[in-house]
Amino acid sequence: MQLEYRKIFKQAYEIVKNNKFLWIFGLFLVWGNLLNFSYVSQNQQSSSSLPVPTDLIIFKNHPFLGNFILLLILFLVFQLILLFFRARAANIIAVKAILEKQETSFIKALRVGGLFNLRLLGVTVLMQILLLVLAFLIVSPIFYLFSLKFFIRAIILSILGLIIFIPVSIVTTLINFLSPMFVTMYDFKIGEAIKRSFELISQSWPTLLVFSFLLLCLMILSVILSLLLAGLAVSPFVLLAYLAYHRGGSTVGLGLTIFSIVFGSIVFFVTQAVVAVFQQTAWILAFLQLIKPQIFEQEEVLPAPEIVS
């Protein structure tokens, strides 16, 4: 089945423009993406041996305090992760209610989103574990061949590994986009949501790939435009800071510089929040178009949650 791409993007734009409370969900979605990015960056740097700062010696001398602070940080990070998935579920619930012309709001949708955030987290965790296990199985023999200086065999195995890993990573990414809709709209459990998502991907993978590519292009363009918009917004303050520095007003110049950075960051993240909501809304519209021909015979389709009725 072919998607009406232009209609989807236009309708998503109208929904996001006319329901600005959805932008708040976008802030949580952007925050979750930043948290995931920082986690990946930290993993990449973990292999390098860095000296322990002298400020952290206190934690070495007081292990109870260090363990307590570590547990507190982990707890807060976990709560932020749950909030990210709750916002994703709430955004799906709110958009579905808007499409069905039902009453909804930020608070109502967020309250019901709490019923699904653990399942959405479970889907993501399972997909990440799958990728990690697959990557380990592929990379281990490659490193072993390199250690034995069988370079040709290692390169050939690397190419074969990429041929396997890239399609699997694409499928898991699509499952991460589609499963939340099955969970929140049909109250499916984790396993059933993944199964239904995989079936939908196997039936409509060319359409989903094209749709994903179009969204990716829009997202890249949006990042560039957000940076330009943030730059234009802070340019007067940057100019004033430059003039203040050259006229001896270092304190004023420093204040304007800090204000420029903060204000520019706010502009950038707010625009990215709108973009994140647009992306999620577009996926919801595409999902609803794709499942129209499907009939769920064995599972009874549940009505929309009370929150949006």
Side-chain angles (χ1 to χ4, degrees):
M1 176 183 178
Q2 290 295 325
L3 292 174
E4 301 176 73
Y5 303 112
R6 185 174 180 179
K7 180 180 178 181
I8 288 174
F9 293 145
K10 181 179 179 181
Q11 191 174 5
Y13 170 77
E14 293 295 332
I15 291 173
V16 173
K17 183 183 73 171
N18 297 327
N19 300 275
K20 294 182 175 55
F21 74 91
L22 296 175
W23 298 8
I24 307 176
F25 295 132
L27 291 174
F28 292 121
L29 295 177
V30 171
W31 170 252
N33 292 331
L34 286 176
L35 195 64
N36 181 63
F37 175 78
S38 62
Y39 169 76
V40 172
S41 300
Q42 186 67 27
N43 283 345
Q44 291 176 349
Q45 297 175 0
S46 60
S47 58
S48 59
S49 57
L50 296 177
V52 178
T54 55
D55 296 339
L56 299 181
I57 294 179
I58 185 175
F59 297 120
K60 185 177 180 180
N61 297 332
H62 300 82
F64 175 79
L65 177 62
N67 292 332
F68 174 77
I69 293 177
L70 176 62
L71 290 176
L72 180 61
I73 292 174
L74 291 176
F75 174 78
L76 293 176
V77 170
F78 182 71
Q79 292 303 313
L80 290 174
I81 292 173
L82 287 181
L83 185 59
F84 165 73
F85 288 105
R86 185 171 186 170
R88 174 179 282 186
N91 188 62
I92 296 171
I93 292 168
V95 171
K96 185 174 184 291
I98 292 169
L99 292 173
E100 296 176 351
K101 302 186 185 305
Q102 297 177 349
E103 182 182 354
T104 187
S105 68
F106 171 78
I107 297 298
K108 290 180 178 180
L110 189 65
R111 189 182 305 137
V112 176
L115 301 175
F116 305 105
N117 57 353
L118 286 176
R119 274 182 267 176
L120 268 59
L121 173 62
V123 170
T124 299
V125 169
L126 285 177
M127 293 300 100
Q128 291 297 322
I129 291 175
L130 173 62
L131 285 179
L132 287 174
V133 171
L134 180 61
F136 176 77
L137 293 175
I138 293 174
V139 170
S140 296
I142 294 174
F143 281 161
Y144 178 71
L145 290 175
F146 272 118
S147 66
L148 296 178
K149 298 183 179 180
F150 295 153
F151 299 114
I152 302 299
R153 296 180 186 180
I155 293 173
I156 294 174
L157 190 59
S158 300
I159 296 173
L160 293 176
L162 287 175
I163 293 174
I164 296 173
F165 185 80
I166 291 176
V168 173
S169 62
I170 292 174
V171 171
T172 56
T173 301
L174 291 176
I175 288 176
N176 276 324
F177 280 120
L178 298 174
S179 291
M181 267 79 83
F182 280 112
V183 170
T184 55
M185 294 184 187
Y186 297 98
D187 199 22
F188 283 172
K189 303 301 181 184
I190 295 175
E192 185 64 19
I194 293 175
K195 176 185 174 183
R196 292 290 189 174
S197 300
F198 183 78
E199 292 174 353
L200 186 59
I201 293 168
S202 62
Q203 295 170 6
S204 307
W205 65 267
T207 301
L208 288 170
L209 286 180
V210 173
F211 181 73
S212 301
F213 177 76
L214 292 176
L215 265 184
L216 177 62
C217 293
L218 288 175
M219 295 307 104
I220 294 174
L221 180 62
S222 71
V223 171
I224 297 173
L225 292 177
S226 297
L227 290 172
L228 290 176
L229 182 61
L232 289 175
V234 303
S235 56
F237 305 104
V238 173
L239 179 60
L240 290 175
Y242 177 80
L243 294 175
Y245 273 119
H246 281 271
R247 292 189 177 184
S250 58
T251 303
V252 177
L254 179 61
L256 287 172
T257 300
I258 295 174
F259 178 81
S260 301
I261 295 173
V262 173
F263 183 62
S265 299
I266 291 174
V267 172
F268 177 79
F269 286 120
V270 168
T271 54
Q272 282 302 297
V274 177
V275 171
V277 174
F278 172 83
Q279 181 188 37
Q280 178 77 71
T281 304
W283 270 109
I284 296 170
L285 296 172
F287 173 81
L288 293 174
Q289 277 196 21
L290 289 173
I291 65 170
K292 274 183 182 179
Q294 298 188 8
I295 300 175
F296 299 96
E297 298 177 350
Q298 297 180 355
E299 291 82 1
E300 179 182 357
V301 177
L302 298 180
E306 281 184 7
I307 195 67
V308 294
S309 58

